[in-house]
Amino acid sequence: MGTGKKVRIDVNTDWCKGCGICIAFCPKKVFDPLPDNKPKVARPEDCIECMLCELRCPDLAINVGGGSDGRK
Amino acid sequence: MGENERQAVLMSGNEACVEGALLAGINFFAGYPITPSTEIAEGLAERLPRHGGKFIQMEDEIASMAAVVGASLAGAKAMTATSGPGFSLKQENIGFAAMAEVPCVVVNVQRYGPSTGLPTSPAQGDIMQARWGTHGDHPMIALMPASVQESLTLTIEAFNLAEKFRTPVILLLDEVVGHMREGIVPPRKEEIMIKKRKKPTAPPEEYLPYRAEPDGVPPMANFGDGYRFHVTGLVHDETGFPRGRGSDGDYLVRRLTNKVKNHFVPMVEEYLTEDAEIAVVACGSVARSAKRAVNLGREQGIKVGLVRPISIWPFPEKAIKDLAGKVRAIVVPEMNLGQVALEVERCACGKAVVYRLNRIDAELITPDEILAKIQEVK
Amino acid sequence: MAVKELLDRYTRMEKLPHIWCPGCGHGIILGSVLRAIQRQNLEPDKTTIVSGIGCSSRAPGYMKFDTLHTTHGRALAFATGVKLARPELNVIVLSGDGDCAAIGGNHLIHAARRNINLTTVVFNNSIYGMTSGQYSPLTPHKRFATTAPYGNVDHPFDLCQLVIAAGATYVARGTAYHTQMLIDLIAKGIERKGFSFIEVVTQCPTYYGRKNKLGSAIDMLNWQKEHGVPVKAAAKLPPEKMEGKFVIGELHCTQRPEYVEEYQRIIDRMERE
């Protein structure tokens, strides 16, 4: 199970090109594909903040963990 | 020796080019060995580190030109030197320097071409290449020294023009000017006017790297000064970024060509042309023979004069137009099959008959040959 | 390290979204380069990014540094001029497999031979993407491209071995899939003084993927996952097990005098005389 608390995940849908990489490689299947294949943050409570979606997003469109408050 | 009678120094044109570059404040040279320009690289390899400057022999002429542009963008006064084959290889990056408005000096000590040609023999076959060697419409400044003294002074001038116009400046020597030795009196540093590129006054966040001032030239920040700007060979707007728009290209290319066309002051020497009925138009080493021929002609009572373009590009159109209005005939001696002659014919517009005198057997054109032509056309 | 911070400090956000195709690996590498810069805490005002021509070489346009988009294949030669003229600058070169290994090959081996302090990241997607799908010196034998309609006759370079042989002191290979490792490899390349070279195996779904029926960006990333074998693991595998696979991680790391410093020693010597 995830950390239990609701992790804030922002998706910049202007920059996202719907490649589906985040959806495919999220170890906890947090995202569901929208009709245009852009990610919907379906189950943020399962997010373990592994940051792989952020790292692998080719469009720099995903921000995990809210603001830039110095979170790891 | 009086304090002001300074010592004359015997040196070659290539060596004078090195002295001129040092007096101009060169602090970066990248080059590649090629006859007949190698002495310039050798001289700067030895002298630059003594002045805290940097010399590098790159893997080829393309890389040398690239390194010069990179160094200039980092704030250096940068130069390279080559000859025909290397000059051909450098063209794409010379075009980049013109497009991105990067000051630099490119010395081409012309040798007999085309191709490998006669590496140790003089020629003037790269004149059109100096203007149109790289693709697309672009500005180009090219100077042609006719003596060892001028090899020094025009190198300084080349750096000043590059910094003033933010553009590459070509210095067209030929093997004779490069290798012959003459006694010259180098100017003292304090006598020389050194031009530096305009610095931006706007703070970094408002800096538009390609917004030109009324003279058509944008102030230039250097890499590492905190302006964090973008430089590209793509058509770009005044922010420096590409938008793929033809309108940006139209504006930019016109500005680039006009900044030189509208503000460059042609450099031409006129000798005994006031009452001339015949004129010789000659540049570089050939102009030396031409001057002698003019003197010989005058001794024979022929009203002949010499017009010597020192800045060959932009071509001194007005000087030739006016000349053609004054004289009946213009003789154009060249160590090629006619390149300056094309420009002279274009500017004369038929007002004077243009006679070509071409020699491409790797020998200098002699005063007597030019005199014979003058006698023929008078 | 949230992406917001990365964007604020190091990215020209007004230039995004970028021009690369959906799923193209270049965006992943761009993000990794930015994260490596962030980790090394480079002073942005003293950092210059240089690129050549091609899809990869549009990356500097999105990066908030002094950026130089040069001519095809010549990024390393331009970068050599920048670095030698102003040594205190951090100079990072971003190039593609065609830009760096084909037309730029001569400058690559000489920059490595000089061991000049540049960090070079090659976006290796085995294709010329910008010109829509020709094979490059890193396209595998028998693969298809618009200029290899009957299968590539050429055999690719092992670019890392080539650069090691040329004299580079830090050489690594990463992939877009192994993103965390990639950031580590680039960060170490930046940190090390001398010629640091990182080849990144990445996906071009639009041309290389389609032309060779390799599926989507996701399938191509999974291919990287299954075929990229870390150095330690690869050392234990018999050769036949490495068939069709490639080694990832730090391949070479040694010490050699750095070019600009060596030249500065000459200048210092002149001043002493």
Coordinates of all heavy atoms in Angstrom, one line a residue, chain B residues 28 45 49-50 52-60 62-63 66-67 69-71 73-74 76 92-93 96 222-234 239 241-242, chain C residues 9 12 15 44-46 48 58 60-61 64-72 74 77-78 80-82 84-87 89 106-107 110 114 259 263-264 266-267 270-271 273:
Chain B
F28 N 43.1 35.0 -28.6 CA 42.8 33.6 -28.9 C 43.0 33.3 -30.4 O 42.6 34.1 -31.2 CB 41.3 33.3 -28.6 CG 40.9 31.8 -28.8 CD1 41.0 30.9 -27.7 CD2 40.5 31.4 -30.0 CE1 40.7 29.6 -27.9 CE2 40.2 30.0 -30.2 CZ 40.3 29.1 -29.2
A45 N 51.5 30.9 -31.8 CA 51.8 29.8 -30.9 C 52.8 30.2 -29.9 O 52.8 29.9 -28.7 CB 52.2 28.5 -31.6
P49 N 50.9 32.8 -25.5 CA 51.0 32.5 -24.1 C 51.8 33.5 -23.3 O 51.6 33.7 -22.1 CB 51.7 31.1 -24.1 CG 51.9 30.7 -25.4 CD 51.4 31.7 -26.4
R50 N 52.7 34.2 -24.0 CA 53.5 35.3 -23.3 C 52.6 36.4 -22.9 O 53.0 37.2 -22.1 CB 54.6 35.8 -24.2 CG 55.7 34.7 -24.5 CD 56.8 35.3 -25.4 NE 57.7 34.2 -25.9 CZ 58.6 33.6 -25.1 NH1 58.8 34.0 -23.9 NH2 59.4 32.7 -25.6
G52 N 49.4 35.9 -22.0 CA 48.3 35.3 -21.3 C 47.2 34.9 -22.3 O 46.0 34.6 -21.9
G53 N 47.5 34.8 -23.6 CA 46.5 34.5 -24.5 C 46.5 33.0 -24.8 O 47.4 32.2 -24.3
K54 N 45.6 32.5 -25.6 CA 45.5 31.0 -25.9 C 45.6 30.7 -27.3 O 45.0 31.4 -28.2 CB 44.1 30.6 -25.4 CG 43.7 30.9 -24.0 CD 44.4 30.1 -23.0 CE 44.1 30.5 -21.5 NZ 42.7 30.2 -21.1
F55 N 46.5 29.7 -27.6 CA 46.6 29.2 -29.0 C 46.2 27.7 -29.0 O 46.5 27.0 -28.0 CB 48.1 29.3 -29.4 CG 48.4 28.5 -30.6 CD1 48.3 29.1 -31.9 CD2 48.8 27.2 -30.5 CE1 48.6 28.3 -33.0 CE2 49.1 26.4 -31.7 CZ 48.9 27.0 -32.9
I56 N 45.5 27.3 -30.1 CA 45.3 25.9 -30.2 C 45.3 25.5 -31.6 O 44.8 26.2 -32.5 CB 43.9 25.5 -29.6 CG1 43.7 24.0 -29.6 CG2 42.7 26.2 -30.2 CD1 42.5 23.5 -28.7
Q57 N 46.0 24.4 -31.9 CA 46.0 23.8 -33.2 C 44.9 22.8 -33.3 O 45.0 21.8 -32.6 CB 47.3 23.2 -33.6 CG 47.4 22.6 -35.0 CD 48.8 22.2 -35.4 OE1 49.7 23.0 -35.4 NE2 48.9 20.9 -35.7
M58 N 43.8 23.1 -34.0 CA 42.7 22.1 -34.0 C 42.9 21.0 -35.0 O 43.9 21.0 -35.7 CB 41.4 22.9 -34.3 CG 41.0 23.9 -33.2 SD 40.6 23.1 -31.7 CE 38.9 22.6 -32.0
E59 N 41.9 20.1 -35.1 CA 42.1 18.9 -35.9 C 41.9 19.2 -37.4 O 42.2 18.4 -38.3 CB 41.1 17.8 -35.4 CG 39.7 18.2 -35.3 CD 39.3 18.8 -33.9 OE1 40.3 19.2 -33.2 OE2 38.1 18.8 -33.6
D60 N 41.2 20.3 -37.7 CA 41.0 20.7 -39.1 C 40.6 22.1 -39.2 O 40.4 22.8 -38.1 CB 40.0 19.8 -39.8 CG 38.7 19.7 -39.1 OD1 38.2 20.8 -38.6 OD2 38.1 18.6 -38.9
I62 N 37.8 23.4 -40.2 CA 36.4 23.6 -39.8 C 36.4 23.8 -38.3 O 35.8 24.7 -37.7 CB 35.6 22.3 -40.1 CG1 35.6 22.1 -41.6 CG2 34.1 22.5 -39.6 CD1 35.0 20.7 -42.0
A63 N 37.1 22.9 -37.6 CA 37.2 23.0 -36.1 C 37.9 24.3 -35.7 O 37.4 24.9 -34.7 CB 38.0 21.8 -35.5
A66 N 35.3 27.0 -35.9 CA 34.3 26.8 -34.8 C 34.9 27.3 -33.5 O 34.3 28.0 -32.7 CB 34.0 25.3 -34.7
A67 N 36.2 26.9 -33.2 CA 36.8 27.3 -31.9 C 36.9 28.8 -31.8 O 36.7 29.4 -30.8 CB 38.1 26.6 -31.8
V69 N 34.9 31.0 -33.2 CA 33.6 31.6 -32.9 C 33.2 31.4 -31.4 O 32.8 32.3 -30.7 CB 32.5 31.0 -33.8 CG1 31.1 31.4 -33.4 CG2 32.8 31.4 -35.3
G70 N 33.5 30.1 -30.9 CA 33.2 29.8 -29.5 C 34.0 30.8 -28.6 O 33.4 31.3 -27.6
A71 N 35.3 31.0 -28.9 CA 36.1 31.8 -28.0 C 35.6 33.3 -28.1 O 35.5 33.9 -27.0 CB 37.5 31.8 -28.5
L73 N 32.6 34.3 -28.6 CA 31.3 34.4 -27.8 C 31.6 34.4 -26.3 O 30.9 34.9 -25.5 CB 30.4 33.2 -28.1 CG 29.7 33.3 -29.5 CD1 29.1 31.9 -29.9 CD2 28.6 34.3 -29.4
A74 N 32.8 33.8 -25.9 CA 33.2 33.8 -24.5 C 33.9 35.1 -24.2 O 34.5 35.3 -23.1 CB 34.0 32.6 -24.2
A76 N 36.5 36.6 -26.2 CA 37.9 36.7 -26.7 C 37.9 37.5 -28.0 O 37.0 37.6 -28.7 CB 38.5 35.3 -26.9
E92 N 31.3 27.3 -43.9 CA 30.0 27.2 -43.2 C 30.1 27.9 -41.9 O 29.1 28.6 -41.5 CB 29.7 25.7 -43.0 CG 28.3 25.5 -42.3 CD 28.0 24.1 -41.9 OE1 28.9 23.2 -42.0 OE2 26.9 23.8 -41.4
N93 N 31.2 27.8 -41.1 CA 31.2 28.4 -39.8 C 31.5 29.9 -39.9 O 31.2 30.7 -39.0 CB 32.3 27.7 -39.0 CG 31.8 26.4 -38.5 OD1 30.6 26.1 -38.4 ND2 32.7 25.5 -38.1
F96 N 28.1 31.0 -40.1 CA 27.5 31.0 -38.8 C 27.9 32.3 -38.0 O 27.0 33.0 -37.4 CB 28.0 29.8 -38.0 CG 27.3 29.7 -36.6 CD1 26.2 29.0 -36.4 CD2 27.9 30.4 -35.5 CE1 25.6 28.9 -35.1 CE2 27.4 30.3 -34.3 CZ 26.2 29.6 -34.0
N222 N 28.9 38.7 -23.3 CA 29.7 37.5 -23.5 C 29.2 36.4 -22.6 O 28.6 36.6 -21.6 CB 31.2 37.8 -23.0 CG 31.8 38.9 -23.9 OD1 31.5 39.0 -25.1 ND2 32.6 39.8 -23.2
F223 N 29.4 35.2 -23.1 CA 29.0 34.0 -22.3 C 29.8 34.1 -20.9 O 30.9 34.5 -20.9 CB 29.5 32.7 -23.0 CG 28.6 32.3 -24.1 CD1 28.9 31.2 -24.9 CD2 27.4 32.9 -24.3 CE1 28.1 30.8 -26.0 CE2 26.6 32.5 -25.4 CZ 26.9 31.5 -26.2
G224 N 29.0 33.9 -19.9 CA 29.6 33.9 -18.5 C 29.4 35.2 -17.8 O 29.8 35.4 -16.7
D225 N 28.8 36.2 -18.5 CA 28.5 37.5 -17.9 C 27.2 37.6 -17.2 O 26.8 38.6 -16.7 CB 28.6 38.6 -19.0 CG 30.0 38.9 -19.4 OD1 30.9 38.3 -18.9 OD2 30.2 39.7 -20.4
G226 N 26.4 36.4 -17.2 CA 25.2 36.4 -16.5 C 24.0 36.8 -17.3 O 22.9 37.0 -16.8
Y227 N 24.1 36.9 -18.6 CA 23.0 37.3 -19.5 C 22.2 36.1 -19.9 O 21.0 36.2 -20.3 CB 23.5 38.2 -20.7 CG 23.8 39.6 -20.3 CD1 25.1 39.8 -19.7 CD2 22.9 40.6 -20.4 CE1 25.4 41.1 -19.3 CE2 23.2 41.9 -19.9 CZ 24.5 42.1 -19.4 OH 24.8 43.4 -19.0
R228 N 22.8 35.0 -19.9 CA 22.1 33.7 -20.3 C 21.3 33.8 -21.5 O 20.0 33.7 -21.5 CB 21.2 33.3 -19.1 CG 22.0 32.9 -17.9 CD 21.2 31.9 -17.0 NE 21.2 32.3 -15.6 CZ 20.3 31.7 -14.8 NH1 19.5 30.8 -15.2 NH2 20.3 32.1 -13.5
F229 N 21.9 34.1 -22.6 CA 21.2 34.3 -23.9 C 21.5 33.1 -24.8 O 22.3 32.3 -24.6 CB 21.5 35.6 -24.5 CG 23.0 35.8 -24.8 CD1 23.5 35.7 -26.1 CD2 23.9 36.0 -23.8 CE1 24.8 35.9 -26.4 CE2 25.3 36.2 -24.1 CZ 25.7 36.1 -25.4
H230 N 20.7 33.1 -25.9 CA 20.7 32.0 -26.9 C 21.4 32.5 -28.2 O 21.0 33.5 -28.7 CB 19.3 31.5 -27.1 CG 19.3 30.2 -28.0 ND1 19.8 29.1 -27.6 CD2 18.7 30.0 -29.2 CE1 19.6 28.1 -28.5 NE2 18.9 28.7 -29.5
V231 N 22.3 31.7 -28.7 CA 22.9 32.0 -30.0 C 22.7 30.8 -30.9 O 22.9 29.7 -30.5 CB 24.4 32.2 -29.8 CG1 25.1 32.4 -31.1 CG2 24.7 33.4 -28.9
T232 N 22.2 31.1 -32.1 CA 21.9 30.0 -33.1 C 22.1 30.5 -34.5 O 22.2 31.7 -34.8 CB 20.4 29.6 -32.9 OG1 20.2 28.5 -33.9 CG2 19.4 30.7 -33.2
G233 N 22.4 29.5 -35.4 CA 22.5 29.8 -36.8 C 21.1 29.8 -37.5 O 21.0 30.2 -38.6
L234 N 20.1 29.4 -36.8 CA 18.7 29.5 -37.3 C 18.3 30.9 -37.4 O 18.8 31.8 -36.6 CB 17.8 28.7 -36.4 CG 17.7 27.2 -36.4 CD1 16.9 26.7 -35.3 CD2 17.2 26.7 -37.8
T239 N 15.0 38.3 -29.7 CA 15.3 37.6 -28.5 C 16.4 36.6 -28.7 O 16.9 36.0 -27.7 CB 14.1 36.9 -27.9 OG1 13.8 35.8 -28.9 CG2 12.9 37.9 -27.8
F241 N 15.9 33.8 -30.4 CA 15.3 32.4 -30.5 C 14.6 32.3 -31.9 O 14.2 33.2 -32.5 CB 14.2 32.2 -29.4 CG 14.8 31.9 -28.1 CD1 15.1 32.9 -27.2 CD2 15.3 30.6 -27.8 CE1 15.7 32.7 -26.0 CE2 15.9 30.4 -26.6 CZ 16.1 31.4 -25.6
P242 N 14.7 31.0 -32.4 CA 14.1 30.7 -33.7 C 12.5 30.6 -33.6 O 12.0 30.0 -32.6 CB 14.7 29.4 -34.1 CG 15.0 28.7 -32.8 CD 15.3 29.8 -31.8
Chain C
R9 N 14.4 27.3 -11.9 CA 15.8 27.7 -11.8 C 16.5 27.5 -13.1 O 17.4 28.3 -13.5 CB 16.5 27.0 -10.7 CG 17.9 27.5 -10.4 CD 18.2 27.4 -8.9 NE 19.5 28.2 -8.7 CZ 20.7 27.6 -8.4 NH1 20.7 26.3 -8.3 NH2 21.8 28.3 -8.3
R12 N 13.8 27.4 -19.5 CA 13.1 28.6 -20.2 C 11.7 28.1 -20.4 O 11.3 27.6 -21.5 CB 13.8 28.9 -21.5 CG 15.2 29.5 -21.3 CD 16.0 29.6 -22.6 NE 17.1 30.5 -22.5 CZ 18.3 30.2 -23.2 NH1 18.4 29.2 -24.0 NH2 19.3 31.1 -23.1
K15 N 9.4 28.6 -23.3 CA 9.7 27.9 -24.6 C 9.0 26.5 -24.6 O 9.0 25.8 -25.6 CB 11.2 27.7 -24.8 CG 11.9 29.0 -24.8 CD 11.5 29.8 -26.1 CE 12.1 31.2 -26.0 NZ 11.6 32.1 -27.0
P44 N 24.4 28.9 -12.7 CA 23.8 29.1 -14.0 C 24.5 30.2 -14.9 O 24.7 30.0 -16.1 CB 22.4 29.5 -13.7 CG 22.1 28.9 -12.4 CD 23.4 29.0 -11.6
D45 N 24.9 31.3 -14.2 CA 25.6 32.3 -15.0 C 26.9 31.9 -15.6 O 27.5 32.5 -16.5 CB 25.8 33.6 -14.2 CG 24.5 34.3 -13.9 OD1 23.5 33.9 -14.5 OD2 24.5 35.2 -13.0
K46 N 27.5 30.8 -15.0 CA 28.8 30.4 -15.5 C 28.7 29.0 -16.2 O 29.7 28.2 -16.3 CB 29.8 30.2 -14.3 CG 30.1 31.5 -13.6 CD 30.8 32.5 -14.5 CE 31.1 33.8 -13.8 NZ 31.5 34.9 -14.7
T48 N 27.6 27.1 -19.8 CA 27.2 27.2 -21.2 C 26.9 25.8 -21.8 O 27.6 24.8 -21.6 CB 28.5 27.7 -22.0 OG1 28.8 29.0 -21.5 CG2 28.2 27.9 -23.5
R58 N 18.2 20.7 -30.2 CA 17.2 21.8 -29.8 C 17.2 21.9 -28.3 O 16.6 22.9 -27.8 CB 15.9 21.5 -30.4 CG 15.8 21.5 -31.9 CD 16.3 22.8 -32.6 NE 15.3 23.9 -32.4 CZ 14.4 24.3 -33.3 NH1 14.3 23.6 -34.4 NH2 13.6 25.3 -33.0
P60 N 19.3 22.9 -25.9 CA 19.7 24.1 -25.2 C 18.7 25.2 -25.2 O 18.6 26.0 -24.3 CB 21.0 24.5 -26.0 CG 21.5 23.2 -26.6 CD 20.3 22.4 -26.9
G61 N 17.8 25.3 -26.3 CA 16.8 26.3 -26.4 C 15.9 26.4 -25.2 O 15.4 27.4 -24.8
K64 N 18.0 27.4 -19.3 CA 18.2 28.8 -18.9 C 19.7 29.0 -18.6 O 20.0 29.2 -17.4 CB 17.3 29.2 -17.8 CG 17.1 30.7 -17.7 CD 15.8 31.1 -17.0 CE 15.7 30.6 -15.6 NZ 14.4 31.0 -14.9
F65 N 20.5 28.9 -19.6 CA 22.0 29.2 -19.4 C 22.4 30.0 -20.6 O 21.6 30.3 -21.5 CB 22.7 27.9 -19.3 CG 22.2 26.9 -18.3 CD1 21.3 25.9 -18.6 CD2 22.6 27.0 -17.0 CE1 20.8 25.1 -17.6 CE2 22.1 26.2 -16.0 CZ 21.2 25.2 -16.3
D66 N 23.7 30.3 -20.7 CA 24.2 30.7 -22.0 C 24.2 29.5 -22.9 O 24.7 28.4 -22.6 CB 25.7 31.2 -21.9 CG 25.8 32.5 -21.2 OD1 24.9 33.4 -21.4 OD2 26.6 32.7 -20.3
T67 N 23.5 29.6 -24.1 CA 23.3 28.4 -24.9 C 23.7 28.7 -26.3 O 23.5 29.8 -26.8 CB 21.8 28.0 -24.9 OG1 21.0 29.2 -25.2 CG2 21.4 27.4 -23.5
L68 N 24.3 27.7 -27.0 CA 24.9 27.9 -28.3 C 24.5 26.7 -29.2 O 24.9 25.6 -28.9 CB 26.4 28.0 -28.1 CG 27.3 28.1 -29.4 CD1 26.8 29.3 -30.3 CD2 28.8 28.2 -29.1
H69 N 23.7 27.1 -30.2 CA 23.2 26.0 -31.1 C 24.0 26.2 -32.4 O 23.8 27.1 -33.2 CB 21.7 26.4 -31.3 CG 21.0 25.4 -32.2 ND1 19.9 25.7 -32.9 CD2 21.2 24.1 -32.5 CE1 19.4 24.6 -33.6 NE2 20.3 23.6 -33.3
T70 N 25.0 25.3 -32.6 CA 26.0 25.5 -33.6 C 25.6 24.9 -35.0 O 24.5 24.6 -35.3 CB 27.4 25.0 -33.2 OG1 27.3 23.6 -33.1 CG2 27.7 25.5 -31.8
T71 N 26.7 24.5 -35.7 CA 26.5 23.9 -37.0 C 26.6 22.4 -36.9 O 27.2 21.9 -35.9 CB 27.5 24.4 -38.0 OG1 28.8 24.3 -37.4 CG2 27.2 25.8 -38.5
H72 N 26.1 21.6 -37.8 CA 26.0 20.2 -37.7 C 27.3 19.5 -37.5 O 28.2 19.6 -38.3 CB 25.3 19.6 -39.0 CG 24.9 18.2 -38.9 ND1 24.4 17.6 -37.7 CD2 25.0 17.2 -39.8 CE1 24.1 16.3 -38.0 NE2 24.5 16.0 -39.2
R74 N 29.6 20.1 -35.2 CA 30.7 20.9 -34.8 C 30.6 21.4 -33.3 O 31.4 22.2 -32.9 CB 30.9 22.2 -35.7 CG 30.7 21.9 -37.2 CD 31.7 20.8 -37.7 NE 31.4 20.5 -39.1 CZ 32.0 19.6 -39.8 NH1 32.9 18.8 -39.2 NH2 31.7 19.3 -41.1
A77 N 33.8 21.4 -31.3 CA 34.8 22.3 -31.7 C 34.5 23.7 -31.2 O 35.4 24.4 -30.7 CB 35.0 22.3 -33.2
F78 N 33.2 24.1 -31.3 CA 32.8 25.4 -30.8 C 33.0 25.4 -29.2 O 33.6 26.4 -28.7 CB 31.3 25.6 -31.0 CG 31.0 26.2 -32.4 CD1 30.8 25.3 -33.5 CD2 30.8 27.5 -32.6 CE1 30.5 25.8 -34.8 CE2 30.5 28.0 -33.9 CZ 30.3 27.1 -35.0
T80 N 35.1 23.7 -27.5 CA 36.5 23.8 -27.2 C 37.0 25.3 -27.1 O 37.7 25.7 -26.2 CB 37.4 23.0 -28.2 OG1 37.0 21.7 -28.2 CG2 38.8 23.2 -28.0
G81 N 36.5 26.1 -28.1 CA 36.8 27.5 -28.1 C 36.3 28.2 -26.9 O 37.0 29.0 -26.2
V82 N 35.0 27.9 -26.5 CA 34.4 28.6 -25.4 C 35.2 28.2 -24.1 O 35.6 29.1 -23.3 CB 32.9 28.1 -25.2 CG1 32.4 28.7 -23.9 CG2 32.1 28.5 -26.4
L84 N 38.3 26.9 -23.7 CA 39.7 27.4 -23.7 C 39.8 28.9 -23.4 O 40.7 29.4 -22.7 CB 40.5 27.0 -25.0 CG 41.9 27.3 -25.0 CD1 42.7 26.6 -23.9 CD2 42.5 26.8 -26.4
A85 N 38.9 29.6 -24.0 CA 38.9 31.1 -23.9 C 38.5 31.5 -22.5 O 38.9 32.5 -22.0 CB 38.0 31.7 -25.0
R86 N 37.6 30.8 -21.9 CA 37.1 31.2 -20.6 C 36.9 29.9 -19.7 O 35.8 29.4 -19.5 CB 35.7 31.9 -20.8 CG 35.4 32.8 -19.6 CD 34.3 33.8 -19.8 NE 34.1 34.6 -18.6 CZ 33.3 35.7 -18.6 NH1 32.5 36.0 -19.6 NH2 33.1 36.4 -17.5
P87 N 38.0 29.5 -19.1 CA 38.1 28.2 -18.4 C 37.1 28.1 -17.2 O 36.7 27.0 -16.9 CB 39.5 28.1 -17.9 CG 40.3 29.0 -18.9 CD 39.4 30.1 -19.2
L89 N 34.1 28.6 -17.1 CA 32.8 28.3 -17.5 C 32.6 26.7 -17.4 O 33.5 26.0 -17.8 CB 32.5 28.8 -18.9 CG 32.5 30.3 -19.1 CD1 32.1 30.6 -20.5 CD2 31.6 31.0 -18.1
N106 N 35.2 13.4 -36.1 CA 36.6 13.9 -36.0 C 36.8 14.8 -34.8 O 37.8 14.6 -34.0 CB 37.0 14.7 -37.3 CG 38.5 14.8 -37.4 OD1 39.3 14.0 -36.9 ND2 38.9 15.9 -38.1
H107 N 35.8 15.6 -34.6 CA 36.0 16.5 -33.4 C 35.8 15.8 -32.1 O 36.4 16.1 -31.1 CB 34.9 17.7 -33.5 CG 34.9 18.3 -34.8 ND1 36.0 18.9 -35.4 CD2 33.9 18.5 -35.7 CE1 35.7 19.4 -36.6 NE2 34.4 19.1 -36.8
H110 N 39.1 14.0 -31.2 CA 40.2 14.9 -30.8 C 39.9 15.6 -29.5 O 40.8 15.8 -28.7 CB 40.4 15.9 -31.9 CG 41.1 15.4 -33.2 ND1 42.4 15.2 -33.2 CD2 40.6 14.8 -34.3 CE1 42.7 14.6 -34.4 NE2 41.6 14.4 -35.0
R114 N 42.4 15.2 -26.4 CA 42.9 16.4 -25.6 C 42.6 16.3 -24.1 O 43.2 16.9 -23.3 CB 42.4 17.7 -26.2 CG 42.8 18.1 -27.5 CD 42.5 19.5 -27.9 NE 42.8 19.7 -29.3 CZ 41.9 19.6 -30.3 NH1 40.6 19.3 -30.0 NH2 42.2 19.7 -31.6
Y259 N 43.4 19.5 -20.5 CA 44.0 20.3 -21.5 C 44.2 21.8 -21.1 O 45.3 22.3 -21.2 CB 43.1 20.2 -22.8 CG 43.8 20.8 -24.0 CD1 44.7 20.1 -24.8 CD2 43.6 22.1 -24.4 CE1 45.3 20.6 -25.9 CE2 44.3 22.7 -25.4 CZ 45.1 21.9 -26.2 OH 45.8 22.5 -27.3
Y263 N 47.6 23.9 -20.5 CA 48.0 25.1 -21.3 C 48.2 26.3 -20.3 O 49.2 27.1 -20.5 CB 46.9 25.5 -22.3 CG 47.4 26.5 -23.3 CD1 48.0 26.0 -24.5 CD2 47.3 27.9 -23.1 CE1 48.5 26.9 -25.4 CE2 47.8 28.8 -24.0 CZ 48.4 28.3 -25.2 OH 48.9 29.2 -26.1
Q264 N 47.4 26.4 -19.3 CA 47.6 27.5 -18.3 C 49.0 27.4 -17.7 O 49.6 28.4 -17.4 CB 46.5 27.4 -17.3 CG 46.5 28.6 -16.3 CD 46.3 30.0 -17.1 OE1 45.5 30.1 -18.0 NE2 47.2 31.0 -16.8
I266 N 51.7 26.6 -19.1 CA 52.6 27.2 -20.0 C 52.6 28.7 -19.8 O 53.6 29.4 -19.7 CB 52.3 26.8 -21.5 CG1 52.5 25.3 -21.7 CG2 53.2 27.6 -22.4 CD1 52.1 24.8 -23.0
I267 N 51.4 29.2 -19.7 CA 51.2 30.7 -19.6 C 51.9 31.1 -18.3 O 52.6 32.1 -18.2 CB 49.7 31.1 -19.6 CG1 49.1 30.8 -21.0 CG2 49.5 32.5 -19.1 CD1 47.6 31.0 -21.1
M270 N 55.5 31.3 -18.6 CA 56.0 32.4 -19.4 C 56.0 33.7 -18.4 O 57.0 34.4 -18.5 CB 55.0 32.8 -20.5 CG 54.9 31.7 -21.6 SD 56.5 31.5 -22.4 CE 56.7 29.8 -22.1
E271 N 55.0 33.7 -17.6 CA 55.0 34.9 -16.7 C 56.1 34.9 -15.7 O 56.7 35.9 -15.4 CB 53.6 35.0 -15.9 CG 52.6 35.9 -16.6 CD 51.2 35.3 -16.4 OE1 51.0 34.7 -15.4 OE2 50.3 35.5 -17.3
E273 N 59.1 33.7 -16.3 CA 60.4 34.0 -16.9 C 60.7 35.5 -17.0 O 59.8 36.3 -17.2 CB 60.4 33.4 -18.4 CG 60.8 31.9 -18.4 CD 60.3 31.2 -19.7 OE1 60.0 31.9 -20.6 OE2 60.3 30.0 -19.7

